[in-house]
Amino acid sequence: KQEVTQIPAALSVPEGENLVLNCSFTDSAIYNLQWFRQDPGKGLTSLLLIQSSQREQTSGRLNASLDKSSGRSTLYIAASQPGDSATYLCAVRLSTGANNLFFGTGTRLTVIP
Amino acid sequence: NAGVTQTPKFRILKIGQSMTLQCAQDMNHNYMYWYRQDPGMGLKLIYYSVGAGITDKGEVPNGYNVSRSTTEDFPLRLELAAPSQTSVYFCASRTQGTEAFFGQGTRLTVV
């Protein structure tokens, strides 16, 4: 069974700092990996999708990398802003089976003005 | 473009009551999913569907039922509500090879 772990569980940084969120997974036979943002009491907003054949994806100040062989992904946020404060979730889809997403428990990010 | 729409947003049920959580998507997506999110836990898959008329169990299906009579709709039914079903429920959809889109969630409390 796929296990997804996100470390740290919570992170506080001052505004303007660059930061990295980590995601690890146990089964490297993934189809793709997706990073989401979740604001308190809200749904999940997709940030980046990385296919298994890709090494990274970029969107604005966000950059996500994928190393399938080591079972790791990182989400890099440049020049953090208070509006980036949210919980960040990573989820992996396996190459076989139900095609559902396996989620980590998230990293709660607070950017201090 | 509405995306994935869930209703209701909030609901309080008494133990033993029944209800249906509604989910509709307007993106013509084949795949639809129901997840639950408990505090401090990752989202867990309840049921999923790969197309109209086809549904299957996920990781935590007990106490729930689904149907998929159309491509757009994927309702989740709770027959005999229990306190353990207090959670936030998310519906999601996607098409082959693309990212998943999520609804805003239904916060359910069973008392």
mmCIF file with all atom_site columns, all heavy atoms in Angstrom, chain B residues 78-95:
data_model
loop_
_atom_site.group_PDB
_atom_site.id
_atom_site.type_symbol
_atom_site.label_atom_id
_atom_site.label_alt_id
_atom_site.label_comp_id
_atom_site.label_asym_id
_atom_site.label_entity_id
_atom_site.label_seq_id
_atom_site.pdbx_PDB_ins_code
_atom_site.Cartn_x
_atom_site.Cartn_y
_atom_site.Cartn_z
_atom_site.occupancy
_atom_site.B_iso_or_equiv
_atom_site.pdbx_formal_charge
_atom_site.auth_seq_id
_atom_site.auth_comp_id
_atom_site.auth_asym_id
_atom_site.auth_atom_id
_atom_site.pdbx_PDB_model_num
ATOM 1   N N   . LEU B 1 78 ? -25.386 8.100  2.903   1.00 0.00 ? 78 LEU B N   1
ATOM 2   C CA  . LEU B 1 78 ? -25.155 7.566  4.241   1.00 0.00 ? 78 LEU B CA  1
ATOM 3   C C   . LEU B 1 78 ? -26.485 7.019  4.725   1.00 0.00 ? 78 LEU B C   1
ATOM 4   O O   . LEU B 1 78 ? -27.464 7.767  4.826   1.00 0.00 ? 78 LEU B O   1
ATOM 5   C CB  . LEU B 1 78 ? -24.692 8.654  5.211   1.00 0.00 ? 78 LEU B CB  1
ATOM 6   C CG  . LEU B 1 78 ? -23.257 9.117  5.148   1.00 0.00 ? 78 LEU B CG  1
ATOM 7   C CD1 . LEU B 1 78 ? -22.988 9.927  3.896   1.00 0.00 ? 78 LEU B CD1 1
ATOM 8   C CD2 . LEU B 1 78 ? -22.909 9.917  6.401   1.00 0.00 ? 78 LEU B CD2 1
ATOM 9   N N   . GLU B 1 79 ? -26.555 5.739  5.001   1.00 0.00 ? 79 GLU B N   1
ATOM 10  C CA  . GLU B 1 79 ? -27.849 5.132  5.340   1.00 0.00 ? 79 GLU B CA  1
ATOM 11  C C   . GLU B 1 79 ? -28.181 5.247  6.819   1.00 0.00 ? 79 GLU B C   1
ATOM 12  O O   . GLU B 1 79 ? -29.282 5.595  7.174   1.00 0.00 ? 79 GLU B O   1
ATOM 13  C CB  . GLU B 1 79 ? -27.853 3.654  4.921   1.00 0.00 ? 79 GLU B CB  1
ATOM 14  C CG  . GLU B 1 79 ? -27.885 3.438  3.422   1.00 0.00 ? 79 GLU B CG  1
ATOM 15  C CD  . GLU B 1 79 ? -29.175 3.932  2.776   1.00 0.00 ? 79 GLU B CD  1
ATOM 16  O OE1 . GLU B 1 79 ? -30.163 4.237  3.490   1.00 0.00 ? 79 GLU B OE1 1
ATOM 17  O OE2 . GLU B 1 79 ? -29.211 4.028  1.534   1.00 0.00 ? 79 GLU B OE2 1
ATOM 18  N N   . LEU B 1 80 ? -27.254 4.931  7.681   1.00 0.00 ? 80 LEU B N   1
ATOM 19  C CA  . LEU B 1 80 ? -27.485 4.975  9.135   1.00 0.00 ? 80 LEU B CA  1
ATOM 20  C C   . LEU B 1 80 ? -26.309 5.727  9.743   1.00 0.00 ? 80 LEU B C   1
ATOM 21  O O   . LEU B 1 80 ? -25.279 5.136  10.047  1.00 0.00 ? 80 LEU B O   1
ATOM 22  C CB  . LEU B 1 80 ? -27.570 3.556  9.710   1.00 0.00 ? 80 LEU B CB  1
ATOM 23  C CG  . LEU B 1 80 ? -28.789 2.724  9.307   1.00 0.00 ? 80 LEU B CG  1
ATOM 24  C CD1 . LEU B 1 80 ? -28.624 1.277  9.743   1.00 0.00 ? 80 LEU B CD1 1
ATOM 25  C CD2 . LEU B 1 80 ? -30.054 3.320  9.945   1.00 0.00 ? 80 LEU B CD2 1
ATOM 26  N N   . ALA B 1 81 ? -26.480 7.021  9.894   1.00 0.00 ? 81 ALA B N   1
ATOM 27  C CA  . ALA B 1 81 ? -25.355 7.851  10.313  1.00 0.00 ? 81 ALA B CA  1
ATOM 28  C C   . ALA B 1 81 ? -24.842 7.444  11.698  1.00 0.00 ? 81 ALA B C   1
ATOM 29  O O   . ALA B 1 81 ? -25.624 7.157  12.617  1.00 0.00 ? 81 ALA B O   1
ATOM 30  C CB  . ALA B 1 81 ? -25.765 9.317  10.316  1.00 0.00 ? 81 ALA B CB  1
ATOM 31  N N   . ALA B 1 82 ? -23.524 7.429  11.809  1.00 0.00 ? 82 ALA B N   1
ATOM 32  C CA  . ALA B 1 82 ? -22.844 7.113  13.071  1.00 0.00 ? 82 ALA B CA  1
ATOM 33  C C   . ALA B 1 82 ? -21.858 8.229  13.396  1.00 0.00 ? 82 ALA B C   1
ATOM 34  O O   . ALA B 1 82 ? -21.362 8.901  12.479  1.00 0.00 ? 82 ALA B O   1
ATOM 35  C CB  . ALA B 1 82 ? -22.114 5.776  12.955  1.00 0.00 ? 82 ALA B CB  1
ATOM 36  N N   . PRO B 1 83 ? -21.540 8.429  14.688  1.00 0.00 ? 83 PRO B N   1
ATOM 37  C CA  . PRO B 1 83 ? -20.583 9.491  15.047  1.00 0.00 ? 83 PRO B CA  1
ATOM 38  C C   . PRO B 1 83 ? -19.244 9.365  14.322  1.00 0.00 ? 83 PRO B C   1
ATOM 39  O O   . PRO B 1 83 ? -18.594 10.379 14.038  1.00 0.00 ? 83 PRO B O   1
ATOM 40  C CB  . PRO B 1 83 ? -20.429 9.309  16.555  1.00 0.00 ? 83 PRO B CB  1
ATOM 41  C CG  . PRO B 1 83 ? -21.722 8.706  16.988  1.00 0.00 ? 83 PRO B CG  1
ATOM 42  C CD  . PRO B 1 83 ? -22.131 7.786  15.869  1.00 0.00 ? 83 PRO B CD  1
ATOM 43  N N   . SER B 1 84 ? -18.842 8.127  13.986  1.00 0.00 ? 84 SER B N   1
ATOM 44  C CA  . SER B 1 84 ? -17.575 7.923  13.284  1.00 0.00 ? 84 SER B CA  1
ATOM 45  C C   . SER B 1 84 ? -17.590 8.509  11.864  1.00 0.00 ? 84 SER B C   1
ATOM 46  O O   . SER B 1 84 ? -16.530 8.630  11.227  1.00 0.00 ? 84 SER B O   1
ATOM 47  C CB  . SER B 1 84 ? -17.242 6.432  13.190  1.00 0.00 ? 84 SER B CB  1
ATOM 48  O OG  . SER B 1 84 ? -18.265 5.748  12.472  1.00 0.00 ? 84 SER B OG  1
ATOM 49  N N   . GLN B 1 85 ? -18.760 8.872  11.380  1.00 0.00 ? 85 GLN B N   1
ATOM 50  C CA  . GLN B 1 85 ? -18.854 9.466  10.053  1.00 0.00 ? 85 GLN B CA  1
ATOM 51  C C   . GLN B 1 85 ? -18.785 10.995 10.089  1.00 0.00 ? 85 GLN B C   1
ATOM 52  O O   . GLN B 1 85 ? -18.895 11.647 9.034   1.00 0.00 ? 85 GLN B O   1
ATOM 53  C CB  . GLN B 1 85 ? -20.141 9.010  9.361   1.00 0.00 ? 85 GLN B CB  1
ATOM 54  C CG  . GLN B 1 85 ? -20.129 7.515  9.046   1.00 0.00 ? 85 GLN B CG  1
ATOM 55  C CD  . GLN B 1 85 ? -21.406 7.029  8.424   1.00 0.00 ? 85 GLN B CD  1
ATOM 56  O OE1 . GLN B 1 85 ? -22.502 7.218  8.990   1.00 0.00 ? 85 GLN B OE1 1
ATOM 57  N NE2 . GLN B 1 85 ? -21.305 6.378  7.280   1.00 0.00 ? 85 GLN B NE2 1
ATOM 58  N N   . THR B 1 86 ? -18.603 11.544 11.268  1.00 0.00 ? 86 THR B N   1
ATOM 59  C CA  . THR B 1 86 ? -18.336 12.976 11.375  1.00 0.00 ? 86 THR B CA  1
ATOM 60  C C   . THR B 1 86 ? -17.013 13.266 10.689  1.00 0.00 ? 86 THR B C   1
ATOM 61  O O   . THR B 1 86 ? -15.980 12.701 11.051  1.00 0.00 ? 86 THR B O   1
ATOM 62  C CB  . THR B 1 86 ? -18.279 13.408 12.848  1.00 0.00 ? 86 THR B CB  1
ATOM 63  O OG1 . THR B 1 86 ? -19.569 13.239 13.429  1.00 0.00 ? 86 THR B OG1 1
ATOM 64  C CG2 . THR B 1 86 ? -17.822 14.852 12.973  1.00 0.00 ? 86 THR B CG2 1
ATOM 65  N N   . SER B 1 87 ? -17.045 14.114 9.684   1.00 0.00 ? 87 SER B N   1
ATOM 66  C CA  . SER B 1 87 ? -15.866 14.337 8.870   1.00 0.00 ? 87 SER B CA  1
ATOM 67  C C   . SER B 1 87 ? -16.161 15.443 7.854   1.00 0.00 ? 87 SER B C   1
ATOM 68  O O   . SER B 1 87 ? -17.272 15.966 7.799   1.00 0.00 ? 87 SER B O   1
ATOM 69  C CB  . SER B 1 87 ? -15.493 13.048 8.138   1.00 0.00 ? 87 SER B CB  1
ATOM 70  O OG  . SER B 1 87 ? -14.246 13.161 7.492   1.00 0.00 ? 87 SER B OG  1
ATOM 71  N N   . VAL B 1 88 ? -15.142 15.775 7.078   1.00 0.00 ? 88 VAL B N   1
ATOM 72  C CA  . VAL B 1 88 ? -15.343 16.641 5.929   1.00 0.00 ? 88 VAL B CA  1
ATOM 73  C C   . VAL B 1 88 ? -15.224 15.771 4.686   1.00 0.00 ? 88 VAL B C   1
ATOM 74  O O   . VAL B 1 88 ? -14.243 15.027 4.542   1.00 0.00 ? 88 VAL B O   1
ATOM 75  C CB  . VAL B 1 88 ? -14.317 17.785 5.883   1.00 0.00 ? 88 VAL B CB  1
ATOM 76  C CG1 . VAL B 1 88 ? -14.604 18.685 4.678   1.00 0.00 ? 88 VAL B CG1 1
ATOM 77  C CG2 . VAL B 1 88 ? -14.354 18.603 7.164   1.00 0.00 ? 88 VAL B CG2 1
ATOM 78  N N   . TYR B 1 89 ? -16.216 15.861 3.820   1.00 0.00 ? 89 TYR B N   1
ATOM 79  C CA  . TYR B 1 89 ? -16.276 15.014 2.634   1.00 0.00 ? 89 TYR B CA  1
ATOM 80  C C   . TYR B 1 89 ? -15.979 15.836 1.389   1.00 0.00 ? 89 TYR B C   1
ATOM 81  O O   . TYR B 1 89 ? -16.537 16.910 1.189   1.00 0.00 ? 89 TYR B O   1
ATOM 82  C CB  . TYR B 1 89 ? -17.668 14.381 2.523   1.00 0.00 ? 89 TYR B CB  1
ATOM 83  C CG  . TYR B 1 89 ? -17.934 13.392 3.616   1.00 0.00 ? 89 TYR B CG  1
ATOM 84  C CD1 . TYR B 1 89 ? -18.393 13.802 4.859   1.00 0.00 ? 89 TYR B CD1 1
ATOM 85  C CD2 . TYR B 1 89 ? -17.696 12.035 3.416   1.00 0.00 ? 89 TYR B CD2 1
ATOM 86  C CE1 . TYR B 1 89 ? -18.608 12.885 5.885   1.00 0.00 ? 89 TYR B CE1 1
ATOM 87  C CE2 . TYR B 1 89 ? -17.923 11.114 4.435   1.00 0.00 ? 89 TYR B CE2 1
ATOM 88  C CZ  . TYR B 1 89 ? -18.369 11.558 5.656   1.00 0.00 ? 89 TYR B CZ  1
ATOM 89  O OH  . TYR B 1 89 ? -18.579 10.647 6.667   1.00 0.00 ? 89 TYR B OH  1
ATOM 90  N N   . PHE B 1 90 ? -15.083 15.295 0.580   1.00 0.00 ? 90 PHE B N   1
ATOM 91  C CA  . PHE B 1 90 ? -14.707 15.962 -0.667  1.00 0.00 ? 90 PHE B CA  1
ATOM 92  C C   . PHE B 1 90 ? -15.000 15.074 -1.857  1.00 0.00 ? 90 PHE B C   1
ATOM 93  O O   . PHE B 1 90 ? -14.691 13.884 -1.853  1.00 0.00 ? 90 PHE B O   1
ATOM 94  C CB  . PHE B 1 90 ? -13.223 16.317 -0.673  1.00 0.00 ? 90 PHE B CB  1
ATOM 95  C CG  . PHE B 1 90 ? -12.861 17.431 0.256   1.00 0.00 ? 90 PHE B CG  1
ATOM 96  C CD1 . PHE B 1 90 ? -12.268 17.164 1.475   1.00 0.00 ? 90 PHE B CD1 1
ATOM 97  C CD2 . PHE B 1 90 ? -13.110 18.754 -0.093  1.00 0.00 ? 90 PHE B CD2 1
ATOM 98  C CE1 . PHE B 1 90 ? -11.932 18.197 2.341   1.00 0.00 ? 90 PHE B CE1 1
ATOM 99  C CE2 . PHE B 1 90 ? -12.773 19.790 0.761   1.00 0.00 ? 90 PHE B CE2 1
ATOM 100 C CZ  . PHE B 1 90 ? -12.187 19.505 1.980   1.00 0.00 ? 90 PHE B CZ  1
ATOM 101 N N   . CYS B 1 91 ? -15.564 15.687 -2.866  1.00 0.00 ? 91 CYS B N   1
ATOM 102 C CA  . CYS B 1 91 ? -15.770 15.036 -4.145  1.00 0.00 ? 91 CYS B CA  1
ATOM 103 C C   . CYS B 1 91 ? -14.728 15.569 -5.120  1.00 0.00 ? 91 CYS B C   1
ATOM 104 O O   . CYS B 1 91 ? -14.358 16.756 -5.048  1.00 0.00 ? 91 CYS B O   1
ATOM 105 C CB  . CYS B 1 91 ? -17.176 15.342 -4.651  1.00 0.00 ? 91 CYS B CB  1
ATOM 106 S SG  . CYS B 1 91 ? -17.576 14.645 -6.256  1.00 0.00 ? 91 CYS B SG  1
ATOM 107 N N   . ALA B 1 92 ? -14.237 14.722 -6.007  1.00 0.00 ? 92 ALA B N   1
ATOM 108 C CA  . ALA B 1 92 ? -13.232 15.138 -6.979  1.00 0.00 ? 92 ALA B CA  1
ATOM 109 C C   . ALA B 1 92 ? -13.527 14.496 -8.326  1.00 0.00 ? 92 ALA B C   1
ATOM 110 O O   . ALA B 1 92 ? -14.199 13.459 -8.402  1.00 0.00 ? 92 ALA B O   1
ATOM 111 C CB  . ALA B 1 92 ? -11.833 14.752 -6.509  1.00 0.00 ? 92 ALA B CB  1
ATOM 112 N N   . SER B 1 93 ? -13.020 15.102 -9.367  1.00 0.00 ? 93 SER B N   1
ATOM 113 C CA  . SER B 1 93 ? -13.173 14.517 -10.697 1.00 0.00 ? 93 SER B CA  1
ATOM 114 C C   . SER B 1 93 ? -11.924 14.787 -11.526 1.00 0.00 ? 93 SER B C   1
ATOM 115 O O   . SER B 1 93 ? -11.145 15.704 -11.233 1.00 0.00 ? 93 SER B O   1
ATOM 116 C CB  . SER B 1 93 ? -14.406 15.089 -11.409 1.00 0.00 ? 93 SER B CB  1
ATOM 117 O OG  . SER B 1 93 ? -14.184 16.421 -11.842 1.00 0.00 ? 93 SER B OG  1
ATOM 118 N N   . ARG B 1 94 ? -11.743 13.979 -12.550 1.00 0.00 ? 94 ARG B N   1
ATOM 119 C CA  . ARG B 1 94 ? -10.641 14.192 -13.473 1.00 0.00 ? 94 ARG B CA  1
ATOM 120 C C   . ARG B 1 94 ? -10.941 13.422 -14.750 1.00 0.00 ? 94 ARG B C   1
ATOM 121 O O   . ARG B 1 94 ? -11.838 12.588 -14.787 1.00 0.00 ? 94 ARG B O   1
ATOM 122 C CB  . ARG B 1 94 ? -9.312  13.709 -12.894 1.00 0.00 ? 94 ARG B CB  1
ATOM 123 C CG  . ARG B 1 94 ? -9.224  12.201 -12.729 1.00 0.00 ? 94 ARG B CG  1
ATOM 124 C CD  . ARG B 1 94 ? -7.839  11.781 -12.275 1.00 0.00 ? 94 ARG B CD  1
ATOM 125 N NE  . ARG B 1 94 ? -7.751  10.326 -12.155 1.00 0.00 ? 94 ARG B NE  1
ATOM 126 C CZ  . ARG B 1 94 ? -7.330  9.540  -13.146 1.00 0.00 ? 94 ARG B CZ  1
ATOM 127 N NH1 . ARG B 1 94 ? -6.965  10.053 -14.299 1.00 0.00 ? 94 ARG B NH1 1
ATOM 128 N NH2 . ARG B 1 94 ? -7.273  8.231  -12.960 1.00 0.00 ? 94 ARG B NH2 1
ATOM 129 N N   . THR B 1 95 ? -10.166 13.714 -15.777 1.00 0.00 ? 95 THR B N   1
ATOM 130 C CA  . THR B 1 95 ? -10.216 12.903 -16.968 1.00 0.00 ? 95 THR B CA  1
ATOM 131 C C   . THR B 1 95 ? -8.879  12.210 -17.113 1.00 0.00 ? 95 THR B C   1
ATOM 132 O O   . THR B 1 95 ? -7.956  12.474 -16.338 1.00 0.00 ? 95 THR B O   1
ATOM 133 C CB  . THR B 1 95 ? -10.578 13.749 -18.191 1.00 0.00 ? 95 THR B CB  1
ATOM 134 O OG1 . THR B 1 95 ? -10.871 12.877 -19.304 1.00 0.00 ? 95 THR B OG1 1
ATOM 135 C CG2 . THR B 1 95 ? -9.448  14.687 -18.579 1.00 0.00 ? 95 THR B CG2 1
#
